[in-house]
Amino acid sequence: MRDWTWRQVVLGVVLLVLFVAVAALVPVLIQPDDSGPEAGSTPGTSSGIPAPSGVGVPTASPPTSTVSPVSPTPAPEKSTSDFQVRPAVKARPVGDPPRAVYQEFPSACALVRASSKAPVAGLSSPGAGEGAYDVFGSTRAKPAEPGQVPSGATSCLNPGDRSTYWVPQVLQGGRALEPESFQVLYKAAVSDYTSVQPFPAGLRVLAGGQAAAPSAADGSAVSWSCTGYDEPRLPVASTCQEGDRLIGRIAAPGCWDGRHLDVPGHRSHLAWAASGRCPGSHPVAVPTLLVRVAYPIDVTQEVRLSGLRGQDFGFGVVTGWQPKVLRDLVGDCINAGEHCGETGSPN
């Protein structure tokens, strides 16, 4: 073996140093990244490189929360009643407007038909039979469903009033008297007439009849009149004068609960105002309906009511105004403190 020259010795040392350096660097280069897989890589891969097929790569289970789950607040139970208005109608703020003598508009309608069945039952007296009824307004055989504006023609002078009105027939001498005129006066029943708002189509209203009772509200009682006579009872024979018309009047409440278009019995969703205000249970002020029916009579004969006992006169209505027509009338007549004629224009 020949002797190493100094050049060979130096070269050997350099090669040894390089070998040691490479041996120290390689483990660092091949060490896995502690930060985990890159964004977008699938679990079980490193730097987005999929694991070999058939090799299961365990994944860490998510930490178990120590916070008890919060039960969600249950949603309010929704009623399936066809007679409710959604959303509920809110009452208008009550103020102190200037005094107005009138806050009203009328609707006059011709007789459509006589019927042996009321559009909505509930006026006839118990034990007196169903009776017969005079029907005015909408010419439909059946009133529209609650909340719907009826289609078809109307016998009312205002074509926007497609409501169905009815009253018990007035009988005299074994025959029904045909009404000569039928008029409904829509009027404010509260002191703040600006707080009155239209009711939705399809509101069922019954007044009087089997549930007729004294009330503190002005105009709520039945009134019968002819020349020299104005009483809650029907006049006896020969009370009125020859040529008189017998006139019946009755009103419906003008405060609504704002939720129901109808209820069992067709009455408790409406209430009378007291001291010029609607009660908290029925806070929405709507027009009160004052019905006036005139009949030609034979003054020598007794008058009675079909299907009712005593003086239990009443009326019913399923409201059917076209919404814009009623809204304009309430705004231009009642809220404005005006008296409007049958055309809807202030007088």
Side-chain angles (χ1 to χ4, degrees), residues 102-342:
Y102 302 105
Q103 320 100 30
E104 60 194 21
F105 65 90
S107 183
C109 310
L111 178 68
V112 173
R113 64 183 180 275
S115 175
S116 61
K117 185 177 180 180
V120 175
L123 282 183
S124 59
S125 300
E130 177 61 26
Y133 302 88
D134 290 326
V135 182
F136 310 82
S138 173
T139 59
R140 290 170 52 113
K142 184 179 179 181
E145 293 298 317
Q148 295 183 355
V149 178
S151 58
T154 178
S155 71
C156 301
L157 290 180
N158 190 323
D161 186 4
R162 299 173 184 169
S163 305
T164 299
Y165 305 95
W166 65 97
V167 295
Q169 283 191 336
V170 174
L171 307 177
Q172 189 175 49
R175 66 182 182 88
L177 299 179
E178 182 173 326
E180 188 173 79
S181 65
F182 176 88
Q183 185 184 69
V184 184
L185 190 64
Y186 287 75
K187 188 177 178 67
V190 292
S191 298
D192 182 6
Y193 49 87
T194 66
S195 68
V196 176
Q197 54 188 304
F199 35 63
L203 182 71
R204 265 73 168 157
V205 181
L206 289 186
Q210 66 174 1
S215 170
D218 292 340
S220 63
V222 176
S223 172
W224 294 99
S225 63
C226 58
T227 302
Y229 182 84
D230 189 359
E231 298 289 342
R233 293 183 173 276
L234 283 166
V236 298
S238 302
T239 299
C240 300
Q241 300 179 19
E242 191 68 35
D244 277 358
R245 299 295 182 264
L246 179 64
I247 298 172
R249 296 183 181 88
I250 186 173
C255 296
W256 178 42
D257 67 7
R259 285 290 298 168
H260 298 88
L261 294 177
D262 197 8
V263 291
H266 319 294
R267 298 175 189 265
S268 62
H269 56 316
L270 295 169
W272 295 102
S275 301
R277 288 177 173 265
C278 285
S281 59
H282 297 73
V284 182
V286 293
T288 185
L289 280 63
L290 283 70
V291 168
R292 180 184 184 277
V293 196
Y295 302 88
I297 60 170
D298 179 349
V299 298
T300 64
Q301 297 189 46
E302 181 186 7
V303 179
R304 65 184 184 89
L305 300 170
S306 176
L308 298 177
R309 290 178 173 174
Q311 314 302 314
D312 291 342
F313 187 62
F315 81 95
V317 58
V318 176
T319 61
W321 284 87
Q322 291 178 300
K324 184 181 184 306
V325 174
L326 181 60
R327 187 167 57 248
D328 289 347
L329 287 170
V330 171
D332 296 342
C333 307
I334 295 180
N335 297 155
E338 298 282 354
H339 170 77
C340 293
E342 293 168 349

Side-chain angles (χ1 to χ4, degrees), residues 4-19:
W4 287 44
T5 65
W6 67 272
R7 293 179 182 276
Q8 290 173 325
V9 172
V10 171
L11 180 60
V13 172
V14 171
L15 291 174
L16 180 61
V17 171
L18 290 174
F19 177 80

